[in-house]
Amino acid sequence: MTALEVRHLHKRYGRHVAVDDVSFTVAEGEIFGIIGPNGAGKTTTVESIAGLRTPDSGSVSVLGFDPVKDRAEVRERLGVQPQESGFPDAIKVAEALELYSSFYRNPADWRELIELLGLTDTWNTRYKALSGGQKQRLSIALALVGGPRIAILDELTTGLDPQARRDTWCLMERVRDRGVTILLVTHFMDEAERLSDRIAVIDGGRVAAVDTPAGLIARSSAVRQVRFRVSQPLDRSVLTGLPDVSRVEIAEGRWLVTGRGQLLSSVAGALARARVVAEDLRVDQLNLDDAFVALTGRAPESPEPSEGRGD
Ligand code: ATP
């Protein structure tokens, strides 16, 4: 079942094209990541999905509903995090959840959400007294309080310390396990790689690629490197003759083999045939950062986690 369908979305602000041509679909139950450089059109895309912006052309379907024409239907099914600036400092956690749940026809049980999000101890705490991590978890709870089938979560862990980030990731997996489809906009490549079933890379208002994290990495992994020591003397030609190998360097007993395709299995096979054991074998691991650079030609932004504990 398709949860979201975006078709040829186009949106300009004056003469500036923010989203040129964006299309993707998200299946129910997926965590779908959106990554891209600053100004790529990510926020405009998700705000169009949420009905907060009206596209100039193209279409958006949220479980079959149009976010602009069927605003009320979409509001009941799609959860978004409220703007932080919209909170009165004096509101307490439980009051905020109770208030927001009153806006929906079939809200989730906010007491259960408090527990799920690890906010039980703070139910009577005022907003201004919450830590960064607690505020972030409250905003996730508020995105879920309407009992949505889809949640849009934007910059989920910006400003959180490493432990709070990991806790939030586990939480996202629990939310997904409850059947909620998640659209995740993030600047953090590790977060996108860890959480997303599939990722859209948006660049210059267009979709540069949609794939699983492993699929995106594989696209950029044209070049690979394998490092090792050998258990006994080996003739360099054993490796230079392999079709996947482009370069063999040997320095201070360490071999560095560069190549493409199935480099590791080619090298391992050749060593086995020569009855040589590779010691300290290391394959240089590519990650989503490499894929991002390969697809957009730019290094991913890395928002700094906060100095203090976020939690
Ligand atoms: P970031 O990662 O920096 O948040 P983004 O990928 O979310 O960027 P958008 O916020 O969608 O990108 O912006 C896309 C382009 O449209 C940018 O060049 C931005 O400056 C411009 N833009 C966004 N909102 C407006 C607006 N209300 N009026 C004019 N231009 C806008």
Side-chain angles (χ1 to χ4, degrees):
M1 169 87 186
T2 301
L4 291 174
E5 185 163 21
V6 177
R7 285 267 157 263
H8 301 298
L9 193 72
H10 181 89
K11 172 77 182 172
R12 57 172 69 219
Y13 299 110
R15 287 165 59 191
H16 180 74
V17 176
V19 174
D20 187 11
D21 184 1
V22 166
S23 300
F24 58 83
T25 56
V26 179
E28 266 205 273
E30 265 192 309
I31 298 184
F32 190 88
I34 296 187
I35 61 176
N38 282 337
K42 305 180 296 292
T43 303
T44 306
T45 299
V46 295
E47 288 187 349
S48 301
I49 292 170
L52 303 170
R53 309 229 172 234
T54 308
D56 296 320
S57 58
S59 65
V60 175
S61 160
V62 177
L63 295 160
F65 294 101
D66 179 311
V68 177
K69 292 192 200 112
D70 310 315
R71 195 174 290 273
E73 299 297 339
V74 168
R75 243 185 108 262
E76 286 293 324
R77 291 166 176 79
L78 184 83
V80 290
Q81 292 163 286
Q83 295 289 322
E84 190 176 330
S85 53
F87 283 116
D89 276 350
I91 198 164
K92 293 179 177 174
V93 167
E95 288 170 350
L97 281 158
E98 198 166 11
L99 176 68
Y100 273 72
S101 69
S102 72
F103 300 155
Y104 296 93
R105 282 202 295 262
N106 300 303
D109 179 349
W110 60 262
R111 289 169 195 81
E112 201 192 318
L113 275 180
I114 278 189
E115 211 179 303
L116 176 77
L117 285 138
L119 288 167
T120 314
D121 295 341
T122 64
W123 70 275
N124 202 26
T125 307
R126 294 190 191 283
Y127 183 74
K128 67 171 176 214
L130 296 176
S131 71
Q134 289 164 339
K135 282 182 180 164
Q136 191 73 307
R137 279 185 276 146
L138 176 61
S139 94
I140 298 168
L142 292 170
L144 300 173
V145 78
R149 282 168 61 191
I150 305 167
I152 297 181
L153 302 172
D154 202 340
E155 300 305 342
L156 195 61
T157 61
T158 299
L160 301 190
D161 68 70
Q163 183 57 47
R165 294 183 70 217
R166 275 192 289 275
D167 292 347
T168 308
W169 294 347
C170 292
L171 184 64
M172 282 307 96
E173 283 162 348
R174 269 188 275 156
V175 170
R176 188 259 296 277
D177 291 346
R178 291 157 67 101
V180 180
T181 304
I182 297 173
L183 190 62
L184 181 73
V185 183
T186 182
H187 273 103
F188 289 116
M189 296 302 112
D190 57 346
E191 182 164 296
E193 191 173 343
R194 154 77 198 266
L195 285 179
S196 309
D197 298 302
R198 288 186 307 136
I199 295 173
V201 183
I202 297 187
D203 189 22
R206 288 173 166 263
V207 176
V210 180
D211 209 332
T212 59
L216 289 176
I217 293 164
R219 288 172 194 228
S220 66
S221 62
V223 178
R224 294 169 186 274
Q225 289 190 320
V226 182
R227 298 166 196 271
F228 53 90
R229 293 178 186 279
V230 288
S231 59
Q232 60 197 68
L234 174 71
D235 193 316
R236 176 195 287 260
S237 64
V238 168
L239 299 179
T240 50
L242 296 173
D244 290 331
V245 170
S246 55
R247 198 167 69 225
V248 178
E249 294 158 82
I250 310 159
E252 293 171 13
R254 284 203 67 83
W255 288 59
L256 172 62
V257 182
T258 306
R260 291 169 177 273
Q262 303 300 315
L263 181 68
L264 178 60
S265 50
S266 297
V267 169
L271 294 178
R273 286 191 295 279
R275 300 192 184 283
V276 168
V277 175
E279 293 165 351
D280 298 337
L281 178 77
R282 228 178 64 203
V283 180
D284 288 348
Q285 189 77 40
L286 292 162
N287 58 25
L288 198 56
D289 286 86
D290 300 297
F292 188 96
V293 174
L295 287 161
T296 67
R298 269 164 285 190
E301 305 288 323
S302 42
E304 291 298 315
S306 69
E307 295 280 310
R309 268 191 61 71
D311 217 346

